[in-house]
Amino acid sequence: MTRRRPPTSPGPAGRIRVAAFRPDGMIDLDGDAALQRLPSLLTDETATVWVDLAAPSADQVQSVGATLGLHHLIVEDVLEGNQRAKLETTESVIHLVLFALAHARQFVASEIDLVLGPRFLLSVHDDGWDPRATHHLREGLSSIMGRGPDHLLWALCDDIVDGYFPFTDDLGDAIDEVQDQVIVEATPEALQGLFELKRELIEVRRAASPTREVFSQLTNRDLPLIDPAEIIYFRDVYDHVIRLTDELDNYRELASSTLDVYLTQVNNRLSVIMKRLTGVTVVLAGIGAVAGVFGMSEAATALGGGEASGFWIVTGVLGLVAAVAVVVLRRIDWI
């Protein structure tokens, strides 16, 4: 699993979109026009403003941060990236860090920074995640932004958390397949697949589990920027996160138990091999012991029957005894 983060040095400019909901309608701007209009929109007390930065350069983040009046430590956190999911509050803003999951050849966790302030929301992410394509905003922005920036924050958080479940479901199906494969035959390929699943589980859990504490704080702390009427929405997301982390814990236990089953299968196979080798040894050692005695002493010229005829008599008896031993060992499943 890999992680993406916002750029930390000057580079190609990313996309800047500014949307503002006002009683007289929506304003939706892009690029330089959005930056130029942003200061006046922020001073409009009737407007709810959403600033969305997709794969921005460091200069763009600093410029927008200065316009929004963000603390320089928040701007630094956005630029540094590679953080765990967290929530930090100051007197004027709430800073959330969450991760959106994508799946190509492997799981990719994309860092998303969300900064909630008075009448505005700032979102910073890479270009692999489009917030306007989320299921709450797909039909338009007015119905969500009209209820305030905290409701917009909930809409984005809810979509991010809901996006975890398809990946956990895929991991559960993959664990079931590996379990079936291990039960049929414990092969090195099955072991390799099991370790890959355990690694992916750890990475997904690392990205998703800290969000539990994030939404616990959002729902249990008195935050002036969160309308009390919105708490119930964040509690719904919190319930989803609890269910998600419980599923991840269950899958981790299943992966561990599958490894135990694999080791048990290997030990059982080794025990079967040792039993069969012991059975073969019983047959061959008996023949070898008698043959050794007769080879050393000729056993009174093959027990008085003459060397030639006695040899064949003794050989026949040994063959019969060996056949009886084989039948007995087969019945007790040793060979």
Side-chain angles (χ1 to χ4, degrees), residues 8-303:
T8 57
S9 60
R15 184 177 185 183
I16 299 178
R17 291 181 291 185
V18 174
F21 175 85
R22 300 194 303 185
D24 58 352
M26 284 290 305
I27 298 174
D28 199 353
L29 303 171
D30 200 338
D32 293 337
L35 284 178
Q36 294 173 1
R37 188 75 182 277
L38 180 59
S40 62
L41 292 174
L42 292 173
T43 57
D44 186 350
E45 295 185 358
T46 66
T48 297
V49 181
W50 177 23
V51 183
D52 181 57
L53 306 181
S57 67
D59 292 339
Q60 287 177 315
V61 174
Q62 291 170 349
S63 176
V64 171
T67 303
L68 297 176
L70 301 181
H71 195 281
H72 69 91
L73 291 179
I74 295 178
V75 176
E76 288 181 3
D77 283 347
V78 173
L79 292 174
E80 287 176 1
N82 279 338
Q83 305 181 67
R84 69 193 301 269
K86 66 177 184 177
L87 179 144
E88 293 181 346
T89 61
T90 65
E91 295 181 355
S92 58
V93 299
I94 299 174
H95 179 207
L96 283 82
V97 178
L98 300 176
F99 288 89
L101 296 182
H103 194 197
R105 293 184 177 179
Q106 59 181 348
F107 287 102
V108 178
S110 301
E111 182 176 322
I112 301 172
D113 289 87
L114 301 169
V115 182
L116 176 66
R119 303 191 314 278
F120 75 83
L121 178 70
L122 168 67
S123 56
V124 184
H125 53 88
D126 64 25
D127 53 8
W129 181 70
D130 183 6
R132 299 198 182 198
T134 60
H135 60 277
H136 291 295
L137 301 179
R138 201 171 296 153
E139 301 300 326
L141 304 179
S142 299
S143 60
I144 298 296
M145 294 187 63
R147 300 181 62 173
D150 51 354
H151 195 70
L152 175 61
L153 174 65
W154 161 78
L156 298 179
C157 292
D158 185 57
D159 186 82
I160 292 171
V161 171
D162 286 348
Y164 294 156
F165 286 98
F167 295 98
T168 57
D169 292 341
D170 290 343
L171 286 173
D173 293 339
I175 290 174
D176 290 339
E177 291 179 2
V178 172
Q179 284 181 326
D180 294 339
Q181 185 178 356
V182 167
I183 291 174
V184 172
E185 184 178 6
T187 62
E189 291 77 12
L191 182 62
Q192 181 179 357
L194 179 59
F195 278 120
E196 289 176 356
L197 285 175
K198 287 176 68 69
R199 183 168 57 251
E200 289 179 350
L201 274 171
I202 291 172
E203 293 295 342
V204 173
R205 194 175 189 279
R206 184 182 302 168
S209 292
T211 59
R212 182 170 182 167
E213 179 62 25
V214 170
F215 289 101
S216 175
Q217 294 183 51
L218 276 175
T219 55
N220 293 300
R221 292 174 58 181
D222 185 13
L223 301 174
L225 294 174
I226 303 293
D227 191 320
E230 296 295 324
I231 295 297
I232 188 172
Y233 293 97
F234 288 102
R235 283 178 179 165
D236 180 67
V237 179
Y238 182 44
D239 291 339
H240 291 177
V241 173
I242 291 176
R243 182 158 61 92
L244 174 73
T245 53
D246 288 344
E247 286 186 7
L248 290 174
D249 289 340
N250 291 337
Y251 291 152
R252 186 171 59 173
E253 292 178 3
L254 283 175
S256 298
S257 63
T258 303
L259 180 59
D260 293 339
V261 171
Y262 176 88
L263 296 176
T264 301
Q265 289 281 73
V266 171
N267 289 332
N268 289 342
R269 187 167 58 186
L270 180 61
S271 298
V272 170
I273 293 174
M274 292 303 297
K275 285 197 307 181
R276 291 177 178 175
L277 289 176
T278 302
V280 172
T281 301
V282 168
V283 175
L284 296 181
I287 295 174
V290 175
V293 171
F294 278 86
M296 294 294 295
S297 64
E298 297 183 4
T301 313
L303 301 178

